[in-house]
mmCIF file of all heavy atoms in Angstrom:
data_model
loop_
_atom_site.group_PDB
_atom_site.id
_atom_site.type_symbol
_atom_site.label_atom_id
_atom_site.label_comp_id
_atom_site.label_asym_id
_atom_site.label_seq_id
_atom_site.Cartn_x
_atom_site.Cartn_y
_atom_site.Cartn_z
ATOM 1 N N SER A 1 56.376 2.467 48.000
ATOM 2 C CA SER A 1 55.664 2.158 46.763
ATOM 3 C C SER A 1 55.967 0.730 46.342
ATOM 4 O O SER A 1 57.113 0.284 46.408
ATOM 5 C CB SER A 1 56.086 3.123 45.659
ATOM 6 O OG SER A 1 55.719 4.441 45.985
ATOM 7 N N THR A 2 54.935 0.035 45.905
ATOM 8 C CA THR A 2 55.102 -1.369 45.541
ATOM 9 C C THR A 2 54.682 -1.622 44.100
ATOM 10 O O THR A 2 53.902 -0.866 43.509
ATOM 11 C CB THR A 2 54.284 -2.287 46.463
ATOM 12 O OG1 THR A 2 52.903 -1.918 46.378
ATOM 13 C CG2 THR A 2 54.744 -2.166 47.904
ATOM 14 N N TYR A 3 55.214 -2.710 43.556
ATOM 15 C CA TYR A 3 54.846 -3.134 42.208
ATOM 16 C C TYR A 3 54.823 -4.647 42.162
ATOM 17 O O TYR A 3 55.704 -5.316 42.733
ATOM 18 C CB TYR A 3 55.837 -2.607 41.170
ATOM 19 C CG TYR A 3 55.644 -3.260 39.820
ATOM 20 C CD1 TYR A 3 54.625 -2.848 38.967
ATOM 21 C CD2 TYR A 3 56.442 -4.331 39.418
ATOM 22 C CE1 TYR A 3 54.417 -3.472 37.755
ATOM 23 C CE2 TYR A 3 56.241 -4.964 38.211
ATOM 24 C CZ TYR A 3 55.223 -4.526 37.377
ATOM 25 O OH TYR A 3 55.015 -5.155 36.178
ATOM 26 N N TYR A 4 53.832 -5.191 41.459
ATOM 27 C CA TYR A 4 53.724 -6.632 41.248
ATOM 28 C C TYR A 4 53.346 -6.895 39.792
ATOM 29 O O TYR A 4 52.486 -6.198 39.240
ATOM 30 C CB TYR A 4 52.633 -7.240 42.135
ATOM 31 C CG TYR A 4 52.728 -6.924 43.593
ATOM 32 C CD1 TYR A 4 52.068 -5.828 44.134
ATOM 33 C CD2 TYR A 4 53.481 -7.725 44.446
ATOM 34 C CE1 TYR A 4 52.147 -5.524 45.475
ATOM 35 C CE2 TYR A 4 53.563 -7.432 45.805
ATOM 36 C CZ TYR A 4 52.899 -6.333 46.303
ATOM 37 O OH TYR A 4 52.984 -6.040 47.645
ATOM 38 N N PRO A 5 53.903 -7.894 39.184
ATOM 39 C CA PRO A 5 53.432 -8.276 37.853
ATOM 40 C C PRO A 5 52.086 -8.973 37.980
ATOM 41 O O PRO A 5 51.709 -9.434 39.061
ATOM 42 C CB PRO A 5 54.512 -9.242 37.360
ATOM 43 C CG PRO A 5 55.072 -9.831 38.613
ATOM 44 C CD PRO A 5 55.017 -8.734 39.627
ATOM 45 N N GLY A 6 51.393 -9.080 36.888
ATOM 46 C CA GLY A 6 50.044 -9.652 36.903
ATOM 47 C C GLY A 6 49.987 -11.084 37.392
ATOM 48 O O GLY A 6 48.981 -11.514 37.965
ATOM 49 N N SER A 7 51.071 -11.838 37.202
ATOM 50 C CA SER A 7 51.065 -13.253 37.563
ATOM 51 C C SER A 7 50.950 -13.489 39.070
ATOM 52 O O SER A 7 50.535 -14.565 39.506
ATOM 53 C CB SER A 7 52.334 -13.926 37.037
ATOM 54 O OG SER A 7 53.480 -13.290 37.557
ATOM 55 N N VAL A 8 51.331 -12.491 39.884
ATOM 56 C CA VAL A 8 51.303 -12.684 41.339
ATOM 57 C C VAL A 8 50.465 -11.639 42.054
ATOM 58 O O VAL A 8 50.255 -11.729 43.265
ATOM 59 C CB VAL A 8 52.728 -12.686 41.939
ATOM 60 C CG1 VAL A 8 53.611 -13.703 41.245
ATOM 61 C CG2 VAL A 8 53.353 -11.305 41.885
ATOM 62 N N LYS A 9 50.002 -10.641 41.322
ATOM 63 C CA LYS A 9 49.220 -9.569 41.949
ATOM 64 C C LYS A 9 48.007 -10.150 42.648
ATOM 65 O O LYS A 9 47.353 -11.054 42.129
ATOM 66 C CB LYS A 9 48.805 -8.553 40.894
ATOM 67 C CG LYS A 9 48.306 -7.247 41.462
ATOM 68 C CD LYS A 9 48.067 -6.235 40.365
ATOM 69 C CE LYS A 9 47.621 -4.909 40.953
ATOM 70 N NZ LYS A 9 47.371 -3.893 39.897
ATOM 71 N N ASP A 10 47.711 -9.642 43.814
ATOM 72 C CA ASP A 10 46.599 -10.075 44.676
ATOM 73 C C ASP A 10 46.888 -11.387 45.398
ATOM 74 O O ASP A 10 46.057 -11.841 46.199
ATOM 75 C CB ASP A 10 45.291 -10.218 43.887
ATOM 76 C CG ASP A 10 44.832 -8.914 43.284
ATOM 77 O OD1 ASP A 10 45.089 -7.853 43.901
ATOM 78 O OD2 ASP A 10 44.231 -8.940 42.204
ATOM 79 N N ARG A 11 48.043 -12.000 45.133
ATOM 80 C CA ARG A 11 48.433 -13.200 45.870
ATOM 81 C C ARG A 11 49.695 -12.967 46.709
ATOM 82 O O ARG A 11 49.848 -13.543 47.776
ATOM 83 C CB ARG A 11 48.698 -14.371 44.907
ATOM 84 C CG ARG A 11 47.490 -14.787 44.098
ATOM 85 C CD ARG A 11 47.750 -16.100 43.368
ATOM 86 N NE ARG A 11 48.848 -16.004 42.419
ATOM 87 C CZ ARG A 11 49.934 -16.780 42.467
ATOM 88 N NH1 ARG A 11 50.069 -17.702 43.416
ATOM 89 N NH2 ARG A 11 50.890 -16.637 41.556
ATOM 90 N N PHE A 12 50.606 -12.146 46.213
ATOM 91 C CA PHE A 12 51.864 -11.871 46.905
ATOM 92 C C PHE A 12 51.825 -10.455 47.489
ATOM 93 O O PHE A 12 51.274 -9.537 46.871
ATOM 94 C CB PHE A 12 53.051 -11.967 45.952
ATOM 95 C CG PHE A 12 53.387 -13.358 45.485
ATOM 96 C CD1 PHE A 12 52.553 -14.438 45.726
ATOM 97 C CD2 PHE A 12 54.563 -13.585 44.787
ATOM 98 C CE1 PHE A 12 52.871 -15.709 45.302
ATOM 99 C CE2 PHE A 12 54.905 -14.853 44.347
ATOM 100 C CZ PHE A 12 54.050 -15.911 44.597
ATOM 101 N N THR A 13 52.447 -10.286 48.640
ATOM 102 C CA THR A 13 52.547 -8.974 49.265
ATOM 103 C C THR A 13 53.965 -8.766 49.766
ATOM 104 O O THR A 13 54.488 -9.594 50.531
ATOM 105 C CB THR A 13 51.570 -8.836 50.446
ATOM 106 O OG1 THR A 13 50.237 -9.058 49.991
ATOM 107 C CG2 THR A 13 51.665 -7.436 51.051
ATOM 108 N N ILE A 14 54.569 -7.662 49.348
ATOM 109 C CA ILE A 14 55.913 -7.317 49.789
ATOM 110 C C ILE A 14 55.825 -6.218 50.839
ATOM 111 O O ILE A 14 54.984 -5.321 50.750
ATOM 112 C CB ILE A 14 56.793 -6.871 48.600
ATOM 113 C CG1 ILE A 14 58.258 -6.731 49.023
ATOM 114 C CG2 ILE A 14 56.272 -5.582 47.971
ATOM 115 C CD1 ILE A 14 59.214 -6.523 47.839
ATOM 116 N N SER A 15 56.680 -6.329 51.850
ATOM 117 C CA SER A 15 56.731 -5.294 52.884
ATOM 118 C C SER A 15 58.176 -5.151 53.339
ATOM 119 O O SER A 15 58.986 -6.063 53.159
ATOM 120 C CB SER A 15 55.826 -5.645 54.059
ATOM 121 O OG SER A 15 56.199 -6.885 54.632
ATOM 122 N N MET A 16 58.487 -4.004 53.906
ATOM 123 C CA MET A 16 59.870 -3.723 54.296
ATOM 124 C C MET A 16 59.919 -3.123 55.691
ATOM 125 O O MET A 16 59.100 -2.269 56.033
ATOM 126 C CB MET A 16 60.526 -2.778 53.280
ATOM 127 C CG MET A 16 62.006 -2.539 53.509
ATOM 128 S SD MET A 16 62.846 -1.848 52.057
ATOM 129 C CE MET A 16 62.049 -0.276 51.890
ATOM 130 N N ASP A 17 60.872 -3.579 56.470
ATOM 131 C CA ASP A 17 61.150 -3.013 57.789
ATOM 132 C C ASP A 17 62.457 -2.246 57.661
ATOM 133 O O ASP A 17 63.534 -2.839 57.668
ATOM 134 C CB ASP A 17 61.259 -4.135 58.821
ATOM 135 C CG ASP A 17 61.433 -3.613 60.237
ATOM 136 O OD1 ASP A 17 62.010 -2.501 60.410
ATOM 137 O OD2 ASP A 17 61.040 -4.312 61.171
ATOM 138 N N ASP A 18 62.362 -0.920 57.550
ATOM 139 C CA ASP A 18 63.550 -0.101 57.338
ATOM 140 C C ASP A 18 64.570 -0.267 58.450
ATOM 141 O O ASP A 18 65.774 -0.332 58.200
ATOM 142 C CB ASP A 18 63.160 1.378 57.239
ATOM 143 C CG ASP A 18 62.349 1.668 55.999
ATOM 144 O OD1 ASP A 18 62.346 0.824 55.098
ATOM 145 O OD2 ASP A 18 61.723 2.742 55.949
ATOM 146 N N ALA A 19 64.073 -0.296 59.659
ATOM 147 C CA ALA A 19 64.980 -0.335 60.806
ATOM 148 C C ALA A 19 65.825 -1.606 60.823
ATOM 149 O O ALA A 19 66.945 -1.615 61.332
ATOM 150 C CB ALA A 19 64.183 -0.210 62.092
ATOM 151 N N LYS A 20 65.277 -2.665 60.266
ATOM 152 C CA LYS A 20 65.972 -3.949 60.293
ATOM 153 C C LYS A 20 66.595 -4.294 58.945
ATOM 154 O O LYS A 20 67.157 -5.378 58.795
ATOM 155 C CB LYS A 20 65.000 -5.057 60.705
ATOM 156 C CG LYS A 20 64.435 -4.892 62.107
ATOM 157 C CD LYS A 20 63.487 -6.039 62.448
ATOM 158 C CE LYS A 20 62.907 -5.887 63.841
ATOM 159 N NZ LYS A 20 61.974 -6.988 64.185
ATOM 160 N N ASN A 21 66.503 -3.374 57.961
ATOM 161 C CA ASN A 21 66.995 -3.678 56.606
ATOM 162 C C ASN A 21 66.467 -5.025 56.127
ATOM 163 O O ASN A 21 67.214 -5.846 55.570
ATOM 164 C CB ASN A 21 68.522 -3.669 56.572
ATOM 165 C CG ASN A 21 69.079 -2.263 56.582
ATOM 166 O OD1 ASN A 21 68.345 -1.288 56.480
ATOM 167 N ND2 ASN A 21 70.374 -2.148 56.726
ATOM 168 N N THR A 22 65.199 -5.235 56.355
ATOM 169 C CA THR A 22 64.583 -6.520 56.054
ATOM 170 C C THR A 22 63.381 -6.342 55.140
ATOM 171 O O THR A 22 62.620 -5.380 55.300
ATOM 172 C CB THR A 22 64.130 -7.214 57.352
ATOM 173 O OG1 THR A 22 65.273 -7.411 58.193
ATOM 174 C CG2 THR A 22 63.483 -8.557 57.067
ATOM 175 N N VAL A 23 63.248 -7.250 54.198
ATOM 176 C CA VAL A 23 62.081 -7.258 53.331
ATOM 177 C C VAL A 23 61.423 -8.622 53.428
ATOM 178 O O VAL A 23 62.102 -9.640 53.586
ATOM 179 C CB VAL A 23 62.463 -6.921 51.872
ATOM 180 C CG1 VAL A 23 63.335 -7.993 51.252
ATOM 181 C CG2 VAL A 23 61.232 -6.671 51.032
ATOM 182 N N TYR A 24 60.097 -8.614 53.357
ATOM 183 C CA TYR A 24 59.331 -9.843 53.455
ATOM 184 C C TYR A 24 58.510 -10.046 52.180
ATOM 185 O O TYR A 24 58.144 -9.073 51.506
ATOM 186 C CB TYR A 24 58.377 -9.791 54.651
ATOM 187 C CG TYR A 24 59.056 -9.491 55.956
ATOM 188 C CD1 TYR A 24 59.097 -8.195 56.449
ATOM 189 C CD2 TYR A 24 59.656 -10.502 56.695
ATOM 190 C CE1 TYR A 24 59.716 -7.903 57.655
ATOM 191 C CE2 TYR A 24 60.276 -10.225 57.906
ATOM 192 C CZ TYR A 24 60.303 -8.930 58.380
ATOM 193 O OH TYR A 24 60.930 -8.643 59.564
ATOM 194 N N LEU A 25 58.207 -11.289 51.884
ATOM 195 C CA LEU A 25 57.306 -11.606 50.784
ATOM 196 C C LEU A 25 56.287 -12.617 51.299
ATOM 197 O O LEU A 25 56.635 -13.775 51.545
ATOM 198 C CB LEU A 25 58.054 -12.174 49.576
ATOM 199 C CG LEU A 25 57.172 -12.434 48.351
ATOM 200 C CD1 LEU A 25 56.650 -11.112 47.781
ATOM 201 C CD2 LEU A 25 57.940 -13.204 47.272
ATOM 202 N N GLN A 26 55.067 -12.155 51.484
ATOM 203 C CA GLN A 26 53.982 -13.044 51.882
ATOM 204 C C GLN A 26 53.341 -13.597 50.617
ATOM 205 O O GLN A 26 52.873 -12.833 49.773
ATOM 206 C CB GLN A 26 52.936 -12.284 52.709
ATOM 207 C CG GLN A 26 51.741 -13.123 53.114
ATOM 208 C CD GLN A 26 52.101 -14.219 54.093
ATOM 209 O OE1 GLN A 26 52.868 -13.999 55.028
ATOM 210 N NE2 GLN A 26 51.554 -15.422 53.883
ATOM 211 N N MET A 27 53.361 -14.913 50.490
ATOM 212 C CA MET A 27 52.835 -15.564 49.292
ATOM 213 C C MET A 27 51.645 -16.421 49.674
ATOM 214 O O MET A 27 51.775 -17.346 50.487
ATOM 215 C CB MET A 27 53.921 -16.427 48.632
ATOM 216 C CG MET A 27 55.193 -15.673 48.299
ATOM 217 S SD MET A 27 56.399 -16.655 47.402
ATOM 218 C CE MET A 27 56.846 -17.850 48.661
ATOM 219 N N ASN A 28 50.495 -16.093 49.127
ATOM 220 C CA ASN A 28 49.254 -16.830 49.401
ATOM 221 C C ASN A 28 48.737 -17.488 48.120
ATOM 222 O O ASN A 28 49.150 -17.132 47.018
ATOM 223 C CB ASN A 28 48.198 -15.886 49.958
ATOM 224 C CG ASN A 28 48.605 -15.245 51.261
ATOM 225 O OD1 ASN A 28 49.315 -15.837 52.075
ATOM 226 N ND2 ASN A 28 48.168 -14.013 51.479
ATOM 227 N N SER A 29 47.837 -18.417 48.295
ATOM 228 C CA SER A 29 47.215 -19.106 47.146
ATOM 229 C C SER A 29 48.274 -19.602 46.173
ATOM 230 O O SER A 29 48.169 -19.398 44.951
ATOM 231 C CB SER A 29 46.240 -18.161 46.439
ATOM 232 O OG SER A 29 45.238 -17.707 47.332
#
């Protein structure tokens, strides 16, 4: 489940790789 505040919604995307204990943040625009 993900959550974004309005200031970044539709521009930022968070994803997680459980196996690697890694989280990513893709930031566009």
Side-chain angles (χ1 to χ4, degrees):
S1 296
T2 58
Y3 168 79
Y4 308 92
S7 58
V8 306
K9 195 173 182 180
D10 298 328
R11 298 191 298 122
F12 290 10
T13 302
I14 189 170
S15 59
M16 186 163 64
D17 185 331
D18 293 344
K20 297 181 180 180
N21 284 353
T22 300
V23 66
Y24 305 96
L25 184 67
Q26 178 67 42
M27 305 185 293
N28 299 327
S29 302

